[in-house]
Amino acid sequence: MENSALNIVVLVKYVPDAQFDRHLTGDAHTIDRSESILSELDEYALEAALALTDARGGAKAGNVVTALTLGPASAAAAVKKSLQIGATQGLHVTDDALAGSDASATSLALAAAIKTLGPVDLVITGMASTDGETSLIPAQLAARLGLAQLTFASELEVEGGTVTARRDGDDYSEEIEASLPALVSVTDQANEPRYPNFKGIIAAKKKKVTTVSLADLGLAASAVGAEGSLTTVSAAAERPARTAGTIITDSGDAGIQLVDFLAAQKLI
Amino acid sequence: MTAIVVYIDQLDAPGKLSTTVGQLLTLARGAGEPVAVVAGPASAALLAELGAYGVARVLHSEQAELGEYLVAPKADLVAQAAAAVSASAVLVDNSPAGKEIAARAGVALNAGVITDAVAVTYDGGTLVAHKSVLAGSYTVQARATSAVAVISVKAHSVEASLAAEAVIPAVEAVEVAFAPASLAARVTKRTPRAASGRPELEDARIIVAGGRGLDGDFTPVEELADVLGAAVGASRAATDAGWISHASQVGQTGKKVSPQLYISVGISGAIQQKAGMQTSKLIVAVNKDAESPIFEIADFGIVGDLFKILPQAVEEIKKRRA
Ligand SMILES: Cc1cc2nc3c(=O)[nH]c(=O)nc-3n(C[C@H](O)[C@H](O)[C@H](O)COP(=O)(O)OP(=O)(O)OC[C@H]3O[C@@H](n4cnc5c(N)ncnc54)[C@H](O)[C@@H]3O)c2cc1C
């Protein structure tokens, strides 16, 4: 049973593109999701999954990589992009009642969705979303699903039924080991994500995407959304955009002018 | 008064209280009765410090599992101790592990979790966490609607202060019942990282950060940092190239910092770099390309060659101090 086919779920989030100005809207101060894309940090999760399944003969050998997203109808674009990059199938959890879900409600719904996929070997996520940036979901999912948690992995290997990861912290670099099944989050140091190619884009059109509602997952509307969330944002204020200050061009004494600036600011 | 749990990790450096924990204890004392939950030994030195912060109650566990497995056992300790003292809030530091302890304790306690708090205030019985979101473009106030709030708090949320009167804490050893899955991810090897001897990025009042413009040699940045007593930061281009440790990376996937002064040197100012530093009080940029986006957010910008400008500034500072 050495290196048999893997069943992997990759979490892919549809997030506002950070290249544009991003905004909070409405009374609940939620994120405006127009101009959204597949979170770039999730591309590392997808690449990690595809590298593992490529090495085991890909879809032909029975490997499955499910791209799972939770979000409005438009979030299907994150699944589609993942299928173009190489995921084998998609799962989209969508329901009006999910709007305004915090990490707790989101991880609850994601855990229920993953359970519909049968026995999964690995759940792989990015190190954070690029919008909320809390890094709460991977740890909460591992806790809810009772999976080994190997998070912030900058290296990931699976050999037989064992997964190993390297986690680089400020004080230590750690080697972590667990038996499958497990949940792994990968950093942007873990790999170099591939781009979709023409063949992938064509192949994606034939791949299956399943859309499920809360009822399909056996969850009540009150368990998620603003009602099921355990946190609330009571106030939000846009910070004035930074503006350029004094710009000088060095004509031989810029180092001295720098020191003058620091002295004027009482920083030296 | 309601109990506020502060999580304290004593596995790595027993006997020493980190500066952030001092700040968390100060916050907890302002909002209720601070209870220290300690992973590792409750040494006499630690207890004396905790007593000075006004901590009357300490729960601790020295179970080996806390260090043998990744994060999850510590979250079990925090959740079970918080339940035992009927805590209304749990405060942890905002390190990656701190955030994950918060995440898992939140699930166990059915508690709302808020990360990245830069300040915590107290409003009619609830804790309000203040944080900046979307790369610093908004500041928001968030609170938990659950019976218990779990908040991970960044460094410098408050100035640490000792209690008016020191107390002698009561110490209770707790026996954590670890969930089976909490003992699933084993730490098989731990390699300490070399310390730079300079201030930590999150603690520093001044940061000098270098990018690809350094071309393999961080000496000019380090020399300026050292005369300023500053921490050294870097762009991902510089850490990826291996010129400096990945722990020095500032940005979306590195540290998020807000020092009094951030001096950006040979860094273009990509969106992912700005995400980690644009809430700094003052930004100075040195870059030879006048079109670099970093100049759009710099309070003081110098267009020129860093290899000339930095050494000149270092000499000038030394001269003025002589
Ligand atoms: C998922 C993801 C996450 C990322 N996370 C981060 C992150 O956390 N932090 C981060 O920094 N980046 C991050 N990046 C990378 C980011 O997009 C940029 O590639 C990176 O910040 C560029 O680094 P740089 O500014 O040092 O290099 P460059 O963009 O190459 O800029 C070098 C600058 O140095 C200047 N220069 C060269 N020589 C001199 C000289 N002699 N004197 C003065 N100036 C000189 C040049 O004019 C240029 O502006 C991330 C990217 C991705 C895709």
Side-chain angles (χ1 to χ4, degrees), chain B residues 156-184:
Chain B
H156 304 301
S157 57
V158 69
E159 194 151 338
S161 67
L162 299 180
E165 260 176 73
V167 294
I168 295 172
V171 185
E172 301 155 53
V174 294
E175 186 73 26
V176 185
F178 299 111
S182 297
L183 307 182

Side-chain angles (χ1 to χ4, degrees), chain A residues 40-41 44 188, chain B residues 210-214 234-238 249-255 265-274 286-289 292 304-307:
Chain A
E40 68 181 348
L41 294 177
Y44 296 87
D188 62 337
Chain B
R212 203 190 312 267
L214 270 299
S235 73
R236 196 179 95 170
Q249 185 184 316
V250 172
Q252 183 193 65
T253 55
K255 303 273 157 54
V265 181
I267 296 178
S268 59
I271 199 105
Q272 296 94 345
Q273 158 71 203
K274 289 199 286 191
V286 179
N287 194 303
K288 69 178 182 191
D289 175 8
S292 264
D305 183 357
L306 73 93
F307 292 102

Side-chain angles (χ1 to χ4, degrees), chain B residues 131-192:
Chain B
K131 59 185 281 189
S132 73
V133 298
L134 297 177
S137 49
Y138 283 81
T139 53
V140 302
Q141 295 178 21
R143 56 183 85 199
T145 52
S146 45
V148 185
V150 181
I151 306 176
S152 69
V153 187
K154 296 183 74 153
H156 304 301
S157 57
V158 69
E159 194 151 338
S161 67
L162 299 180
E165 260 176 73
V167 294
I168 295 172
V171 185
E172 301 155 53
V174 294
E175 186 73 26
V176 185
F178 299 111
S182 297
L183 307 182
R186 183 186 285 277
V187 179
T188 53
K189 195 171 159 205
R190 193 169 273 159
T191 316

Side-chain angles (χ1 to χ4, degrees), chain B residues 218-234:
Chain B
F218 257 64
T219 312
V221 160
E222 288 169 350
E223 286 182 349
L224 180 59
D226 289 343
V227 292
L228 294 171
V232 171

Side-chain angles (χ1 to χ4, degrees), chain A residues 171-260:
Chain A
D171 302 329
Y172 294 99
S173 177
E174 293 169 312
E175 307 278 340
I176 321 288
E177 186 180 294
S179 297
L180 297 177
L183 177 140
V184 179
S185 79
V186 295
T187 72
D188 62 337
Q189 300 293 308
N191 54 48
E192 203 53 69
R194 66 190 74 180
Y195 295 105
N197 57 27
F198 183 70
K199 225 176 105 198
I201 291 168
I202 299 298
K205 297 195 166 130
K206 293 207 202 81
K207 292 177 180 172
K208 190 173 121 204
V209 179
T210 309
T211 302
V212 295
S213 67
L214 286 173
D216 296 328
L217 298 178
L219 288 175
S222 60
V224 297
E227 200 182 342
S229 291
L230 302 173
T231 55
T232 167
V233 174
S234 49
E238 192 162 5
R239 224 187 258 253
R242 279 198 102 99
T243 50
T246 312
I247 311 289
I248 62 163
T249 300
D250 185 22
S251 51
D253 66 346
I256 291 161
Q257 292 197 52
L258 171 57
V259 178
D260 287 340

